[in-house]
Amino acid sequence: MVSGPAVLRAQTLPPVPLAEPASAPKAKGDKPSFIPFPIVFSQPETGLGYGLAVLPVFRLGPDSATRKSSARLIGWRTQKKQSLIQLTHSIFTPGERFFIAGEASFYNQFPINYYGFGPETRLADKSVIQYKVFIFQERALKRLAPGLFAGLQYRLTDLRDVQVNEGIGNDPLNSRLFDRPAREYQQSTRVSGFGPALLYDARDNVLSTYRGSYLEVSALLNGSALGSDYRFSRYLLDARRFQPLTSDNKTILGVQLIGQFQSGEVPFRELANLGGSNLLRGYYEGRYRDRQLLAAQAEVRRVLFGRFNGVLFVGLGQVGNTFRDFGKGGLKAAGGAGLRFRFNRRDRLNVRLDYGVERGGSSGVYFSIGEAF
């Protein structure tokens, strides 16, 4: 449920303002709610899980010229003995002069299925590994023009207590993890990176978009000067476009193109990976992982009745050590359908339930808060 697309093209639609005119009064009841609500979910990566969430949505500034900010505080535990405490935030300061976003997450005793790395890993090579990881990331971007922001970002990942709980077959000491350099699983791993980010965000609503474009280009440079145990670079491209298919905004098409490209010595936990609740739903998260990733996905979102919406989605993607490896193992494809419940009607905050199937026939059920993209 938690922390990662088609190319943007010109549209012949009339321009839509990013927000209401500055003179619009602040809406009544425009106060955040800090009342916790229970969550129960099931995902392939976690099994049955339960916990609490607090989801305040708020606006900084005297009127609606500034888009709403949001935060999320979640704590949960699963039947596989995974637990998470996570705080995320996306904040537009008054007048949208700055955009500040970040995350602090702690995953305790987190077991995952590990299949190795590369585009040709086998289901039969599944082992179960476990670790603790703390993630902290923050970005501060300054507005350069309406919707356009630039600035800097920092990310820290601290991985500890890596163990192999179940090996391949009947051999408890056999795992594709041992194909990696020994320091990745015998020692604690700290990755610390700093770099620039450029963001164009013209979405009408960042929680559930009806129309608008989103484009992020960013880099993280990890090295010993920042306290990192590994020296490598990560570059991210994330492009999204949202378009109503009907005049009443009841049917929305969303498309996304995402690429993650890395150079240098990348430890296994930091490799780009396909699968999970946000990218190619139907694949287990991390089913395929490597240094380079390119994927595209599309969704059609439709109002059904009351607070319920329906979604159809499809995605394609591939990973590889180099771009030449994208031709190995076949293109990864997945698709499925889902339901949305509008938990917060005023701010269009949805709770979602998705069922995805990948081309090999494996499937997954995903519960999460907010849209996949």
Side-chain angles (χ1 to χ4, degrees):
M1 25 179 319
V2 206
S3 182
V7 179
L8 299 175
R9 57 183 184 275
Q11 298 288 334
T12 57
L13 295 171
V16 176
L18 297 184
E20 300 171 25
S23 59
K26 192 170 183 179
K28 292 183 178 180
D30 195 18
K31 295 182 180 180
S33 171
F34 293 96
I35 300 174
F37 74 95
I39 53 176
V40 179
F41 62 92
S42 178
Q43 297 180 180
E45 297 84 4
T46 63
L48 182 66
Y50 53 90
L52 292 173
V54 180
L55 306 168
V57 180
F58 51 94
R59 195 192 310 274
L60 298 179
D63 53 53
S64 58
T66 302
R67 280 174 289 179
K68 289 192 175 183
S69 303
S70 63
R72 181 174 67 181
L73 175 62
I74 289 180
W76 50 252
R77 184 172 175 81
T78 76
Q79 68 181 116
K80 295 185 179 181
K81 299 182 180 180
Q82 301 146 311
S83 58
L84 165 71
I85 298 176
Q86 181 183 66
L87 172 65
T88 64
H89 61 273
S90 297
I91 298 173
F92 291 99
T93 65
E96 297 197 359
R97 293 182 59 192
F98 293 92
F99 176 63
I100 301 168
E103 167 194 351
S105 301
F106 178 66
Y107 296 83
N108 184 50
Q109 303 294 359
F110 205 79
I112 65 167
N113 296 346
Y114 184 77
Y115 301 89
F117 58 96
E120 299 179 289
T121 55
R122 305 184 309 158
L123 281 171
D125 284 344
K126 184 191 84 171
S127 60
V128 179
I129 66 174
Q130 174 182 296
Y131 52 74
K132 299 177 182 177
V133 62
F134 172 73
I135 299 171
F136 173 82
Q137 57 183 12
E138 194 72 30
R139 60 171 48 177
L141 309 180
K142 178 177 174 54
R143 173 176 157 165
L144 304 180
L148 182 63
F149 301 84
L152 297 172
Q153 61 180 352
Y154 173 77
R155 178 180 172 88
L156 169 71
T157 303
D158 195 333
L159 182 72
R160 298 180 179 274
D161 300 338
V162 179
Q163 304 172 32
V164 177
N165 288 350
E166 298 178 22
I168 299 171
N170 295 319
D171 185 353
L173 299 179
N174 188 13
S175 171
R176 293 273 74 88
L177 183 65
F178 300 141
D179 297 338
R180 307 290 300 178
R183 62 182 295 205
E184 290 189 20
Y185 52 85
Q186 290 181 349
Q187 305 173 21
S188 299
T189 297
R190 174 173 293 180
V191 174
S192 178
F194 186 74
L198 180 68
L199 174 67
Y200 176 72
D201 190 350
R203 294 173 294 174
D204 65 324
N205 182 305
V206 299
L207 298 174
S208 180
T209 308
Y210 287 166
R211 66 174 72 227
S213 301
Y214 175 97
L215 176 63
E216 175 187 344
V217 180
S218 62
L220 278 170
L221 309 177
N222 304 275
S224 56
L226 296 170
S228 178
D229 296 327
Y230 293 84
R231 183 177 180 181
F232 67 96
S233 300
R234 171 182 293 158
Y235 305 94
L236 177 69
L237 168 68
D238 185 349
R240 312 176 195 178
R241 176 66 185 174
F242 301 90
Q243 178 63 56
L245 300 181
T246 57
S247 59
D248 58 6
N249 289 333
K250 289 188 175 181
T251 305
I252 307 296
L253 172 65
V255 293
Q256 182 186 34
L257 172 68
I258 189 164
Q260 185 173 318
F261 314 109
Q262 301 181 105
S263 61
E265 186 184 12
V266 188
F268 81 91
R269 177 58 178 72
E270 299 300 306
L271 293 171
N273 66 81
L274 290 175
S277 64
N278 292 334
L279 185 62
L280 267 66
R281 284 156 282 180
Y283 284 99
Y284 183 91
E285 184 173 2
R287 173 65 184 85
Y288 295 97
R289 63 178 76 208
D290 216 320
R291 296 203 308 167
Q292 322 302 337
L293 175 150
L294 190 62
Q297 58 184 1
E299 278 193 357
V300 175
R301 305 167 182 171
R302 172 67 185 175
V303 173
L304 297 178
F305 56 88
R307 294 193 183 199
F308 289 92
N309 298 344
V311 171
L312 297 175
F313 55 87
V314 64
L316 299 170
Q318 183 60 299
V319 300
N321 184 53
T322 66
F323 296 124
R324 292 181 180 179
D325 293 330
F326 280 5
K328 298 179 180 179
L331 194 64
K332 316 310 183 226
L339 283 174
R340 304 289 182 270
F341 175 74
R342 186 141 294 178
F343 172 76
N344 182 330
R345 286 186 288 187
R346 183 188 66 202
D347 300 313
R348 303 199 325 235
L349 174 61
N350 290 330
V351 175
R352 63 184 170 99
L353 181 68
D354 289 331
Y355 175 73
V357 182
E358 50 98 345
R359 66 179 301 176
S362 297
S363 62
V365 177
Y366 305 90
F367 174 91
S368 192
I369 298 166
E371 301 294 344
F373 65 92

